[in-house]
Amino acid sequence: QERLEESGGGSVQPGGSLTLACVMSKTQYTPYCMGWFRQAPGTERAGVANIDRDGRITYADSVEGRFTISRDLAKNTLYLTMNLLEPEDSGMYYCTTGSARRRNGTCYTPFGENVWGQGTQVTVSS
């Protein structure tokens, strides 16, 4: 079964940068949709950035212009480069793959479940 493993989280000051990585293992195909979600305490998991097999990218309004999603298919790795981080960006960041895209670009799997990683914590504070 496909596995996702995130890394790169940490603590930074406002205005700082981090790059998250998600390695996809035990897969022999490129998922239709790959993306990043985040969840802060007391809130629901929400989409941050997504990229589909054709390279179409969508971002949440709150991160547009600051975050960049990218992938290296040869390495089966998905990245999220985060610049100008704000305290509101704090939370657990999850990598996910799905077989479809919603209208807002987020990945989902009709009649099933996305594959999720275990998450990596990002904390932005002074």
Side-chain angles (χ1 to χ4, degrees):
Q1 182 179 352
E2 179 184 342
R3 285 186 56 195
L4 306 176
E5 184 169 359
E6 304 95 335
S7 62
S11 295
V12 295
Q13 294 186 340
S17 300
L18 284 173
T19 296
L20 308 182
C22 171
V23 177
M24 295 173 277
S25 61
K26 297 186 178 180
T27 180
Q28 295 182 345
Y29 68 99
T30 300
Y32 179 78
C33 187
M34 297 171 279
W36 293 92
F37 280 64
R38 71 184 177 195
Q39 186 171 23
T43 69
E44 293 187 356
R45 197 176 295 188
V48 174
N50 302 273
I51 182 170
D52 72 11
R53 191 180 292 167
D54 297 323
R56 288 178 297 182
I57 292 173
T58 56
Y59 295 101
D61 289 343
S62 60
V63 307
E64 183 84 51
R66 300 187 297 120
F67 289 13
T68 302
I69 188 171
S70 61
R71 63 188 177 187
D72 185 334
L73 296 179
K75 295 181 178 180
N76 281 337
T77 302
L78 183 71
Y79 301 96
L80 184 68
T81 300
M82 306 183 293
N83 296 318
L84 299 175
L85 283 162
E86 303 168 353
E88 293 73 22
D89 296 318
S90 298
M92 188 69 79
Y93 281 69
Y94 298 93
C95 174
T96 189
T97 63
S99 59
R101 253 171 112 242
R102 298 188 186 280
R103 256 186 211 179
N104 64 3
T106 56
C107 305
Y108 81 111
T109 300
F111 311 110
E113 296 287 336
N114 282 9
V115 178
W116 295 92
Q118 82 289 347
T120 186
Q121 179 69 38
V122 172
T123 302
V124 185
S125 69
S126 53

